[in-house]
Amino acid sequence: MTHFLMSRRPFSSLFLVCLLGLLSGCGGESAAPTQEDEGVEQTVTVDTTADLLAFYPKFKRVDLVFGSMPSTNDESVLFCCSAAFTEKELKQFDHMNIAGNHVGGGEFHKGYACAKNTGGFVFYDNRWQFFAGDFGGELGRAADKRGMGFGQMLIIHGGRRMAAHVGGRYVFRALCEHEGRLCIIESRRLQDFEYFVHALQAYGVSEALYLVMGAGWNHSWYRDMGGGARILHPHRHDFSTNWLVFYR
């Protein structure tokens, strides 16, 4: 059964929403917040539970950036972190070193075939959407609309646990939808993957797409309420290839 997620600002026609959802076979579609919705100040709010840190950027735009991580001096950036898997630790950037086809800055790029990519995410026309399975057609539309999109391991879709697993104990991270809001959630300490998934479910996440982690890959930062840059996981390396970026 197809599950539809209602946004704060739905399409003018409910029939159109349902029709688009049925045609795409996806979990739903939600709109980005606006200043009118979220207030004038555009930063990141942080929610905590015993097991999770949830970051809610008050964004206007989401993009996928390649080659170089956005600088903390770029005041238009609210949050950035690694997104899709990288195949090899190369000294030079190559789009074919990114897992799966991907779109950033409105440009479509081919990546390497990755069996771990069981779903994906797109953002265009001020709306986002999570997908299970193949979503190549939607990546094409994201490029046509000057948007973004990438593939990754799908953890939760339409509120249901998906067939995903990572061995070992790590700090995990996922791009999520929670109560109609887009957020990035990571574990507060080393956890096994099942514990992390159960914590996401207990928090009430309806969509969760894995974001690449591990030493150096987990280096990220966000804009705090005072406008300063807060670093998450300071250790970094030079092999990351792509970043999920939220903009004011």
Side-chain angles (χ1 to χ4, degrees):
M1 181 176 71
T2 302
H3 177 71
F4 298 103
L5 300 171
M6 301 305 294
S7 67
R8 291 187 178 181
R9 292 182 177 273
F11 290 120
S12 59
S13 170
L14 181 59
F15 172 78
L16 179 57
V17 175
C18 297
L19 178 60
L20 289 174
L22 289 171
L23 290 174
S24 63
C26 62
E29 191 167 335
S30 297
T34 65
Q35 283 195 350
E36 181 182 353
D37 291 335
E38 300 292 344
V40 173
E41 189 172 22
Q42 299 289 297
T43 55
V44 177
T45 57
V46 184
D47 188 24
T48 62
T49 73
D51 300 308
L52 303 172
L53 291 172
F55 301 90
Y56 292 86
K58 297 178 183 178
F59 63 94
K60 289 294 190 64
R61 181 170 63 91
V62 184
D63 208 349
L64 197 64
V65 172
F66 310 111
S68 297
M69 186 180 197
S71 169
T72 55
N73 294 323
D74 186 346
E75 295 186 356
S76 68
V77 176
L78 294 174
F79 192 106
C80 67
C81 64
S82 294
F85 291 118
T86 297
E87 184 177 29
K88 299 175 182 178
E89 295 184 353
L90 302 179
K91 292 183 179 180
Q92 293 183 332
F93 173 74
D94 186 344
H95 279 285
M96 284 300 298
N97 199 30
I98 297 175
N101 297 338
H102 46 277
V103 175
E107 297 290 332
F108 177 89
H109 304 278
K110 288 186 176 181
Y112 74 91
C114 180
K116 292 182 179 179
N117 284 6
T118 55
F121 172 84
V122 300
F123 182 93
Y124 63 84
D125 284 349
N126 203 39
R127 295 182 179 275
W128 70 81
Q129 206 159 358
F130 291 83
F131 294 87
D134 178 58
F135 66 112
E138 194 62 30
L139 278 176
R141 280 186 283 275
D144 290 342
K145 297 285 189 176
R146 307 297 298 168
M148 62 80 68
F150 68 99
Q152 250 292 2
M153 183 171 57
L154 191 60
I155 304 171
I156 297 171
H157 188 51
R160 296 191 301 172
R161 170 77 160 92
M162 306 302 287
H165 183 70
V166 178
R169 290 173 59 83
Y170 300 98
V171 173
F172 293 103
R173 179 185 288 157
L175 173 64
C176 300
E177 181 168 313
H178 176 246
E179 297 181 350
R181 299 171 67 192
L182 198 62
C183 58
I184 303 94
I185 302 179
E186 67 175 55
S187 49
R188 296 188 66 174
R189 63 190 67 83
L190 295 177
Q191 301 171 352
D192 62 52
F193 190 71
E194 287 305 313
Y195 192 97
F196 176 62
V197 175
H198 289 318
L200 291 177
Q201 291 177 312
Y203 188 59
V205 164
S206 56
E207 303 285 341
L209 189 71
Y210 187 75
L211 296 173
V212 65
M213 290 289 274
W217 308 97
N218 56 9
H219 176 73
S220 55
W221 63 272
Y222 72 97
R223 190 77 58 194
D224 65 22
M225 296 299 289
R230 293 288 187 96
I231 304 298
L232 299 170
H233 313 289
H235 173 68
R236 62 183 301 176
H237 54 58
D238 296 327
F239 304 113
S240 297
T241 58
N242 65 101
W243 291 266
L244 175 68
V245 184
F246 292 76
Y247 292 92
R248 296 179 190 272

